[in-house]
Amino acid sequence: MQDPQPDFQPVPGKPDELLPGVRRVVAPNPSPMTFRGTNSYLVGTRGLAVIDPGPDMDAHLDALLASVGPDQHISHILVTHAHLDHSPLARRLSDVTGAPVFAFGDAKAGRSAVMTRLAEGGLVGGGEGVDTAFAPDHRLADGDTVTGDGWTLEALHTPGHMANHLSFALDGTLFSGDLVMGWATSLVSPPDGDLTAFMTSLRGLAERPWSRFLPGHGDAVSQPAARIADLLSHREGRETSILAALSDGPATATELASRIYVETPPPLLPAATRNVLAHLIDLVERSAVRPVGELRAEARFSRL
């Protein structure tokens, strides 16, 4: 499989300055889902905000603390969403530094009614894994601001990849978490992921002029408007492919994924299947397809 960002070769644990007052420290947790590893960001010059402390790894905790200079301190910890590669280290970092943790809410916060029903029916998420123990000290709503020593971050509720997903705006820079990345499209895995919300979040971001996105994995996105347009087009094209495949008769998400994701490596097919399921749920909500029987992950779906 071709490397999507061959020039992006960060050294885990080594802080890289991306722009004045913004540094990135990559966690040592590379994988097919996390690319080179989780990006943790340090914002500020004296009192620092840490965005996405990352996985619960001693080496990454040590790297973040080592990145704090003698005249600096960590004053705030902000979390984009409660996946195991983004949020678990928040509590340990808070215990060491005394900095409070800010987020939209726990792992279930923000779920839609349909996703709540699916979760109550036994559907569980796939992909990166959910940090079910996560609980912030302070909850942030869409449009709330967090102000520190010489910086102000605006919280934007951007569900889709996960219901409690926040992005953080620093002037024209957006810390986009896992909603928008340059190296890959985001996994949308119900019931934590919601494609209807994902598309709404992308369209909302497209209404503002951004200079760059700093994502949760991979290199910076230097042309945000073009990347959003590509992601929307990609999802719309995937929907067209699903509807075309259903013209041949009812099928499950697994069957559709095997037909549509023909170039996807076998280890990534389960994630592809979850993406197809997300599309099918969205299409059910829009009355374009229907499940044969109860709406569940294993259901067969047919066109209306």
Side-chain angles (χ1 to χ4, degrees), residues 157-160 165 179 196-206 228:
H157 187 212
T158 49
H165 194 287
L179 184 78
T196 305
F198 182 79
M199 299 294 276
T200 299
S201 292
L202 288 179
R203 292 179 179 125
L205 289 184
I228 290 173

Side-chain angles (χ1 to χ4, degrees), residues 110-120 194 285:
R111 274 184 181 168
S112 68
V114 64
M115 294 304 169
T116 298
R117 289 197 302 272
L118 287 168
E120 291 172 349
D194 183 328
E285 290 294 288

Side-chain angles (χ1 to χ4, degrees), residues 94-106:
S94 177
D95 289 343
V96 171
T97 64
V101 178
F102 296 77
F104 183 79
D106 64 18

Side-chain angles (χ1 to χ4, degrees), residues 76-102:
H76 298 71
I77 300 167
L78 291 81
V79 173
T80 61
H81 63 291
H83 272 152
L84 290 175
D85 55 328
H86 287 261
S87 58
L89 198 58
R91 186 50 53 198
R92 289 180 63 194
L93 185 62
S94 177
D95 289 343
V96 171
T97 64
V101 178
F102 296 77

Side-chain angles (χ1 to χ4, degrees), residues 84-279:
L84 290 175
D85 55 328
H86 287 261
S87 58
L89 198 58
R91 186 50 53 198
R92 289 180 63 194
L93 185 62
S94 177
D95 289 343
V96 171
T97 64
V101 178
F102 296 77
F104 183 79
D106 64 18
K108 296 181 181 179
R111 274 184 181 168
S112 68
V114 64
M115 294 304 169
T116 298
R117 289 197 302 272
L118 287 168
E120 291 172 349
L123 180 63
V124 295
E128 295 116 314
V130 175
D131 183 4
T132 56
F134 178 71
D137 299 310
H138 301 286
R139 294 185 174 225
L140 296 172
D142 182 60
D144 284 352
T145 57
V146 179
T147 300
D149 185 7
W151 52 263
T152 297
L153 290 161
E154 178 188 3
L156 301 178
H157 187 212
T158 49
H161 174 71
M162 196 169 187
N164 74 343
H165 194 287
L166 291 176
S167 300
F168 297 102
L170 179 69
D171 299 322
T173 295
L174 184 75
F175 298 90
S176 57
D178 282 5
L179 184 78
V180 180
M181 301 178 288
W183 73 281
T185 57
S186 297
L187 174 66
V188 180
S189 180
D192 305 301
D194 183 328
L195 188 67
T196 305
F198 182 79
M199 299 294 276
T200 299
S201 292
L202 288 179
R203 292 179 179 125
L205 289 184
E207 295 177 358
R208 291 176 58 165
W210 304 103
S211 57
R212 70 184 63 79
F213 287 168
L214 297 179
H217 309 276
D219 209 354
V221 177
S222 59
Q223 296 181 309
R227 183 57 178 158
I228 290 173
D230 286 345
L231 291 173
L232 288 170
S233 176
H234 171 78
R235 292 289 177 175
E236 290 162 355
R238 196 62 78 196
E239 176 184 301
T240 299
S241 298
I242 291 170
L243 291 172
L246 286 175
S247 296
D248 297 331
T252 66
T254 300
E255 292 166 346
L256 290 168
S258 65
R259 293 185 214 167
I260 295 168
Y261 288 82
V262 292
E263 297 182 0
T264 299
L268 296 181
L269 272 177
T273 299
R274 301 297 290 211
N275 270 323
V276 170
L277 178 63
H279 273 281

